[in-house]
Amino acid sequence: MKKMSTIKKIILGIVSVAVLIGIVYLSYTLIHYRFYRDYQDYLLENEPYEEGTEFQALSDAAPSVEGMVLAAENESLKLYINMETADTAVYDKRTGHTVYSNPPAADADPVASGLNKNYLKSQFVLDYYNQNRKSTTYDSYSYSTSRGQFEVQAIPNGLRVLYTLGDMESKTGIVPLYITSERLESFLSKVESKKQASDVRNRYTTDSDIDGFLMLPESVQNAPATLRKMNATLEEAGYTQEDFIADMEAAGAEGAEQIFFVVPLEYTLNGDKLMVRVPVSHIEENGGGMIYRMQLLRYMGAAGVDENGYLLVPNGAGSIIYFNNGKKDANEYNQFVYNIDPVSAEYLVRENTEQIRMPLFGMYYENTHTGVFAVIEKADSQASITADISGKLNSYN
């Protein structure tokens, strides 16, 4: 019996040490990674951010870009924006050449599918992780501009677009999945039609999995016509999205807050240059979503199938990729600036590339003898550059 007691003590000791190590490790991980936000203070200190003002289009005696309004102008360039789509364009007064953030004829592209068409119309694409570490993608067209979830602000020498990306409505709209009887009645008492109020009241059941709350049965959650009527009645009663979130939080239900992001994108003119910036310290992450990658202006200056020229990529001392070269079976060019950390790199080599030594890229258009030369000025060591030809995902280089 004494021997058994000693064995139990040893086992208990080992388990206790293991549990203690686990708690210490978990605490360390949470403090240093999950809850770590000190980097935001560093970014704020090193990233000036001027508050935007109400945007007012400038008068333009000779409009240079159809469908857009003038946002800024200097001796060399004019900056335009489409107030419906957030597409931008830069007109060069010296050459008469216009560079668009998105292809103007994206909707007519015969190659692009629905998703790739949306990408053509997006100013950026975000990849993020949700609370379950599942990776998901939001493009700015599908989840912001097409829904009217953006605001244009004026800043010195340019403009800022504030995008809100995400599905801001739950599956049921503002109809709560859980609500107390007293709170529901406080809103339904304001509805003029007793029948409409009764219809909403009767949709809920007291057979709820959360004590003290009424529940919306799954059969009603999957009935769009019924939900439309309930949404209209609750809106008339003054019930809002904020009320929906409050009731879901009070019930401790999942999905109280939708995953969405607020992302500022700035365009400013500086002499003969267009400066594009995402002030990352002012990106807002909501609902547990965490951004890990952004594809910025992936189609700015894109050349169509009727254009001749080439893409300049910083492969080694520099390489060029000719437009419309027909090599559709070749992989797209994709390289990290200064190369990726060897620990994270893949050992399978798909193409012959050399280390990037300069954070730059560009395009040359033979038809107009003009071009675009781009330099990554900040965060270049965390950036990658991608280039591809027409005919694969869409009709653009």
Side-chain angles (χ1 to χ4, degrees), residues 103-295:
D107 276 321
D109 192 319
V111 177
S113 64
L115 177 63
N116 286 311
K117 236 170 221 186
N118 291 347
Y119 282 4
L120 283 172
K121 295 184 282 186
S122 295
Q123 287 77 54
F124 59 87
V125 179
L126 288 184
D127 295 312
Y128 71 92
Y129 290 114
N130 63 18
Q131 290 176 318
N132 299 318
R133 300 297 290 169
K134 181 181 177 183
S135 174
T136 312
T137 301
Y138 278 173
D139 66 81
S140 65
Y141 173 77
S142 302
Y143 289 91
S144 180
T145 55
S146 67
R147 301 166 185 250
Q149 296 172 181
F150 70 98
E151 176 191 354
V152 180
Q153 297 179 345
I155 57 175
N157 304 313
L159 62 92
R160 176 187 298 132
V161 184
L162 274 176
Y163 298 82
T164 299
L165 291 93
D167 188 349
M168 302 304 291
E169 290 190 356
S170 69
K171 173 184 174 182
T172 60
I174 62 169
V175 178
L177 305 183
Y178 299 93
I179 190 170
T180 63
S181 177
E182 295 78 11
R183 188 161 159 79
L184 180 63
E185 289 303 325
S186 71
F187 284 98
L188 294 181
S189 63
K190 302 172 187 176
V191 178
E192 187 174 340
S193 169
K194 299 300 180 186
K195 182 181 184 305
Q196 289 179 356
S198 179
D199 285 343
V200 171
R201 187 182 299 110
N202 292 337
R203 299 297 177 186
Y204 284 91
T205 176
T206 55
D207 185 18
S208 174
D209 51 11
I210 299 179
D211 290 340
F213 284 82
L214 301 174
M215 184 177 75
L216 193 69
E218 195 169 334
S219 58
V220 180
Q221 295 179 36
N222 295 319
T226 301
L227 287 172
R228 278 196 296 272
K229 293 177 183 177
M230 293 180 71
N231 270 282
T233 301
L234 287 173
E235 283 177 11
E236 180 189 335
Y239 195 85
T240 65
Q241 180 72 20
E242 288 71 26
D243 292 312
F244 170 87
I245 292 172
D247 284 319
M248 293 288 281
E249 286 180 344
E254 293 183 3
E257 186 179 6
Q258 302 297 325
I259 290 179
F260 70 94
F261 307 97
V262 179
V263 178
L265 174 57
E266 297 178 353
Y267 305 83
T268 54
L269 299 181
N270 182 2
D272 61 352
K273 297 181 287 294
L274 169 71
M275 312 290 287
V276 179
R277 182 177 83 126
V278 177
V280 293
S281 60
H282 291 270
I283 291 176
E284 297 177 20
E285 299 171 318
N286 299 277
M290 301 184 75
I291 299 168
Y292 69 89
R293 180 170 55 202
M294 172 185 280
Q295 301 171 51

Side-chain angles (χ1 to χ4, degrees), residues 19-39:
V19 169
L20 183 60
I21 291 171
I23 291 171
V24 170
Y25 176 76
L26 181 61
S27 301
Y28 178 87
T29 303
L30 289 174
I31 293 168
H32 286 77
Y33 297 99
R34 183 68 179 174
F35 300 140
Y36 181 75
R37 290 295 181 269
D38 289 355
Y39 69 90

Side-chain angles (χ1 to χ4, degrees), residues 351-370:
E351 57 277 307
N352 183 20
T353 57
E354 297 181 28
Q355 180 176 342
I356 290 179
R357 292 176 171 82
M358 295 176 289
L360 54 83
F361 56 95
M363 300 182 75
Y364 176 70
Y365 314 99
E366 288 183 3
N367 299 32
T368 55
H369 301 291
T370 58

